[in-house]
Amino acid sequence: MAKRHLTMMGLGSAIGAGLFLGTGAAISTAGPAVLLSYIVAGFIVVLVMRMLGEMAAAMPAAGSFATYAGAAFGRHARFAVGWLYWFMLIMVMGAEMTGASAIMGAWFGVSPWIPALVCMVFFAVVNLVRVRAFGEFEFWFALIKVAVIIGFLIIGILLIFGLLPGDSAVGTANLLDHGGFMPNGWSGVAAGLLAVAFAFGGIEIVAIAAAESDDPGRNVGFAVRSVIWRISVFYVGSVLVIATLLPWDTLRDAETAEQSPFTAVLRMADIPGVVGFLEVIIVLALLSAFNAQIYGTSRMSFALAKQGDGPRILARTNKASSPSVAVYVSVFFGFVAVALQWLDWEDLLTFLLNAVGATLLIVWIAIALSQIKLRRELESRGPLEVKMWLFPWLSYLAIVVILALGALMLTDEAARAQIFAALAVVVVLAVLSAINSYFHADSGAYVTEKTRS
């Protein structure tokens, strides 16, 4: 896998349907001050990715942050972090495919399970061939999404300054009127932070893919450095354009492309067929994320199995050196997650999806603690390709901010359920780890070997 594949994979995995559909809900919660929420969330992600990039460049591992947690704190940490992330991606995978198949089913006038099954089989094949083929596929998927965002930003800037025919500059009325820049006060900004904190989730897959790249140390360093600032520009830039052009109190959570604030902005530029166009982009975003999640789950479970933290069968590979059994298992459980949403087993589904929300916080904390613990050992291996800024102070600051976000979640009734559900999953994984360690001796080794594409 080449450097361009890693970079675009990182960009694409974080630009999902949540950006196109969920931005309106975040703005309606905090008003224009949601920009502060995005800046804080982006700051957290930048610090986490810098720490992860430092470890991934110095010690490329198929299990990425799970392997680093094991190196820092032992096999129980590796088991819990790895399988927790696998669980999170499986549930998100089900949600992504449910949304995409519903739109495609409406396009072709068929039941949603048909396009879901077709896509499941197709992406299973993509992930079973050589990793370079997967990287190439994901590269073009991500490139389309990035091109759309860049085009949206250009159109938005032209609209803001009245540079399109028949338009005049909008000024700052939508940013400062309608109750002011911060109409709901700091509590609104805090609520907005809860709405956007997990929007950047998925970039971690870059570190997982690094182990299969041509030059892991250099490639992951370049990918991390480029991804963190580009994602910040795309997200904050898109929100700034929307908040400037549209009154915040007219925006709501969007369930369809018709309701998306991106659609409303593009309509201001008199672009024809904007709803159908955005539907296509949303489906591409969902399928791209789904594809990356199959990759992430299969590689994570493959690495865990090789280290004795999962069924040995998951460590099997095919002639293309792809972890075939792990791919099959990920696709199977992805389809199970889709089935749960269609069956509408409300209590079970609510619990599982709630657990996803806080899982990312636990993974981020694990990354930060592992980086602090391993820094001296990484430096002993030679000069670091990527170095955390102002170590250890920014590493500790990242932990404090993530814990503060967790405390903020406890003050919100809906978010509180996410914390408790995630903790329940952690307890289950702790029990499974104890059982696993009873039957398997710890290999004590890092998984650093690459699967050459």
Side-chain angles (χ1 to χ4, degrees):
M1 191 178 296
K3 179 167 60 178
R4 65 186 178 91
H5 295 141
L6 279 180
T7 302
M8 293 306 294
M9 185 186 302
L11 290 171
S13 60
I15 301 176
L19 175 63
F20 298 109
L21 297 179
T23 304
I27 296 175
S28 68
T29 299
V34 76
L35 285 165
L36 301 178
S37 303
Y38 272 99
I39 290 171
V40 172
F43 176 69
I44 296 173
V45 173
V46 165
L47 294 183
V48 170
M49 284 304 297
R50 188 73 182 185
M51 289 185 285
L52 181 55
E54 177 181 292
M55 294 184 290
M59 190 172 68
S64 187
F65 40 84
T67 298
Y68 309 143
F73 303 107
R75 72 172 302 162
H76 292 299
R78 183 178 66 207
F79 185 100
V81 172
W83 287 113
L84 192 64
Y85 192 74
W86 181 91
F87 162 79
M88 182 188 76
L89 287 190
I90 287 293
M91 291 310 302
V92 173
M93 186 192 305
E96 305 275 19
M97 182 51 69
T98 300
S101 61
I103 296 175
M104 290 187 289
W107 286 350
F108 302 111
V110 298
S111 178
W113 71 266
I114 296 176
L117 182 60
V118 171
C119 289
M120 289 277 191
V121 173
F122 175 77
F123 287 115
V125 172
V126 169
N127 279 271
L128 287 171
V129 298
R130 297 182 71 86
V131 69
R132 183 173 291 274
F134 162 80
E136 198 66 36
F137 193 91
E138 196 60 23
F139 172 85
W140 290 105
F141 252 164
L143 186 61
I144 292 172
K145 292 188 289 185
V146 169
V148 169
I149 294 296
I150 292 174
F152 174 80
L153 292 175
I154 292 172
I155 292 171
I157 290 171
L158 293 176
L159 287 170
I160 289 171
F161 291 100
L163 299 178
L164 292 181
D167 288 317
S168 58
V170 298
T172 59
N174 290 324
L175 290 174
L176 301 179
D177 295 345
H178 306 276
F181 178 74
M182 199 181 292
N184 296 322
W186 285 106
S187 61
V189 175
L193 180 58
L194 291 181
V196 307
F198 308 106
F200 299 94
I203 307 180
E204 307 87 4
I205 291 177
V206 170
I208 297 175
E212 294 186 271
S213 67
D214 300 328
D215 186 352
R218 293 185 180 276
N219 287 350
V220 75
F222 177 85
V224 167
R225 282 190 291 265
S226 61
V227 163
I228 56 180
W229 74 261
R230 291 181 189 180
I231 287 293
S232 300
V233 169
F234 291 159
Y235 266 87
V236 176
S238 297
V239 173
L240 180 59
V241 165
I242 292 169
T244 303
L245 292 173
L246 304 173
W248 70 270
D249 49 3
T250 64
L251 300 175
R252 295 291 182 270
D253 189 15
E255 296 183 358
T256 65
E258 174 77 26
Q259 302 166 346
S260 170
F262 284 81
T263 300
V265 168
L266 294 177
R267 276 179 173 157
M268 293 176 67
D270 294 325
I271 297 178
V274 64
V275 175
F277 171 76
L278 200 60
E279 274 193 347
V280 172
I281 297 304
I282 290 171
V283 168
L284 287 177
L286 289 167
L287 294 181
S288 172
F290 178 83
N291 187 35
Q293 286 150 9
I294 291 180
Y295 177 87
T297 52
S298 62
R299 265 53 179 187
M300 181 62 77
S301 57
F302 167 75
L304 290 169
K306 287 197 70 173
Q307 296 174 98
D309 290 325
R312 297 291 186 188
I313 193 173
L314 293 176
R316 292 185 181 178
T317 59
N318 59 17
K319 292 181 179 179
S321 298
S322 173
S324 51
V325 176
V327 169
Y328 294 139
V329 169
S330 293
V331 170
F332 170 77
F333 278 101
F335 204 81
V336 168
V338 172
L340 284 175
Q341 302 209 32
W342 287 336
L343 292 172
D344 198 21
W345 290 353
E346 188 170 343
D347 293 338
L348 176 61
L349 184 61
T350 299
F351 171 79
L352 293 175
L353 289 177
N354 274 342
V356 168
T359 292
L360 197 57
L361 292 186
I362 298 173
V363 171
W364 286 349
I365 287 285
I367 290 171
L369 292 173
S370 299
Q371 187 264 340
I372 292 171
K373 182 77 181 295
L374 295 176
R375 175 60 175 270
R376 184 171 298 177
E377 178 182 340
L378 297 180
E379 286 182 320
S380 69
R381 294 171 172 233
L384 296 177
E385 181 73 26
V386 180
K387 292 186 71 173
M388 181 60 182
W389 308 291
L390 297 177
F391 178 83
W393 307 114
L394 280 185
S395 298
Y396 285 124
L397 178 61
I399 293 174
V400 170
V401 176
I402 295 169
L403 290 175
L405 181 56
L408 183 62
M409 292 179 70
L410 290 174
T411 66
D412 180 89
E413 184 175 352
R416 192 183 308 129
Q418 298 179 23
I419 293 284
F420 294 147
L423 291 177
V425 174
V426 169
V427 170
V428 171
L429 288 174
V431 173
L432 292 176
S433 180
I435 295 172
N436 179 73
S437 63
Y438 178 80
F439 290 102
H440 296 90
D442 191 356
S443 65
Y446 307 136
V447 177
T448 57
E449 61 268 23
K450 296 192 303 171
T451 302
R452 292 287 182 184
S453 56

